[in-house]
Amino acid sequence: MDNMNMKMKMDQMDRCGHLSIGMEAPDFTANTTFGPIRFSDYRGKWVVFFSHPGDFTPVCTTEFVAFAQAYPKFQQRNVQLLGLSIDSNPSHLAWVRSIARTTGISIPFPVVADRMGEVACLYGMVAPDVSKQETVRNVFIIDPNQIIRAILIYPLTNGRSIPEILRLVDALQTTDADKVVTPANWQPGQPALVPPPQTYSALLEREKDPEELGLTCKDWFWCYKQLPSGKENAGNK
């Protein structure tokens, strides 16, 4: 990249906005290792859209291998994986080919080429105080209506926990399917929590006979509900 383009990119990163939970995921078109895509074409699926600092780097390589190994589990949950870095498509192609030759693992999801950082800017994937030339390790979990439901941000130096991303997808899908919330360290198959009552009469009803409501309570605002078996992966329905 020449100096003028580099300066333009750095100036752009200084002006990038930030997304938050509850916002609609911005639409974009881009070239990828699977060909051109439009993000809105993924409507109807959950999407885990994640950025990595750069191709041919060790931490990113281990993450891509881990995402590829977990890919069938994401598919079971109706989740589309989508990667991105500020690298060219030829660089992405050479890197995923190198991973396949080295490990025998093919990368089964698209990687967005974003050489000028336009998509990274749109999604606030660059932390200018850390680097203006690389994305940090963002994860956006986006629902089938293309609403951003969760955002995780890891530093350049430390790889992500793929099991935690899967667990959070399970929790979000369970919340949507059963109108429950999930406690700390929740795992699929464990009891979920129900939201606290919103009226005094509902409070009294819950205190009087929580078992009749299918609840196990520690206090009127703190009640668990055991979900029917097989309901935790709502996204694959």
Side-chain angles (χ1 to χ4, degrees):
M1 182 180 295
D2 60 41
N3 290 337
M4 181 173 292
N5 282 340
M6 178 64 74
K7 184 178 185 304
M8 288 174 59
K9 185 175 81 169
M10 292 175 68
D11 289 344
Q12 178 191 43
M13 294 307 173
D14 284 333
R15 298 190 299 271
C16 288
H18 295 281
L19 302 180
S20 57
I21 292 172
M23 294 177 63
E24 184 172 359
D27 196 13
F28 63 87
T29 57
N31 195 24
T32 78
T33 51
F34 282 24
I37 65 161
R38 178 181 290 276
F39 186 77
S40 55
D41 289 343
Y42 294 127
R43 186 176 292 275
K45 284 180 168 285
W46 289 77
V47 179
V48 171
F49 184 26
F50 65 97
S51 58
H52 65 281
D55 299 345
F56 296 100
T57 55
V59 177
C60 299
T61 301
T62 62
E63 288 187 319
F64 267 62
V65 168
F67 271 120
Q69 290 173 325
Y71 186 67
K73 296 180 180 178
F74 284 104
Q75 285 187 304
Q76 290 168 7
R77 292 158 171 81
N78 190 33
V79 175
Q80 172 67 52
L81 291 177
L82 182 64
L84 174 145
S85 75
I86 303 176
D87 287 294
S88 67
N89 203 51
S91 175
H92 286 337
L93 291 170
W95 182 43
V96 299
R97 181 58 182 151
S98 174
I99 292 172
R101 286 200 307 266
T102 303
T103 67
I105 296 171
S106 296
I107 303 304
F109 52 84
V111 188
V112 172
D114 191 29
R115 195 68 186 98
M116 292 302 295
E118 294 172 349
V119 180
C121 182
L122 189 64
Y123 276 76
M125 292 174 163
V126 174
D129 292 333
V130 175
S131 173
K132 294 186 179 181
Q133 300 179 41
E134 300 171 305
T135 57
V136 291
R137 301 181 194 279
N138 289 267
V139 181
F140 293 88
I141 300 179
I142 299 164
D143 72 18
N145 295 316
Q146 303 213 305
I147 301 300
I148 298 170
R149 299 292 296 277
I151 302 173
L152 307 174
I153 303 176
Y154 292 69
L156 299 173
T157 52
N158 304 98
R160 286 162 277 219
S161 168
I162 309 310
E164 168 57 17
I165 295 171
L166 279 165
R167 189 198 74 86
L168 185 51
V169 169
D170 283 336
L172 290 167
Q173 292 181 351
T174 297
T175 289
D176 286 359
D178 294 289
K179 311 307 178 190
V180 293
V181 294
T182 56
N185 300 321
W186 178 88
Q187 295 289 338
Q190 295 178 348
L193 291 163
V194 294
Q198 299 300 303
T199 65
Y200 190 66
S201 61
L203 181 159
L204 294 176
E205 181 183 8
R206 184 176 292 187
E207 277 193 326
K208 179 182 178 182
D209 194 355
E211 292 184 4
E212 179 68 21
L213 301 173
L215 305 177
T216 301
C217 296
K218 294 185 178 295
D219 206 335
W220 63 266
F221 66 91
W222 184 0
C223 295
Y224 291 88
K225 179 180 181 180
Q226 182 65 56
L227 302 178
S229 177
K231 297 242 359 206
E232 54 268 11
N233 288 341
N236 62 6
K237 296 181 179 179

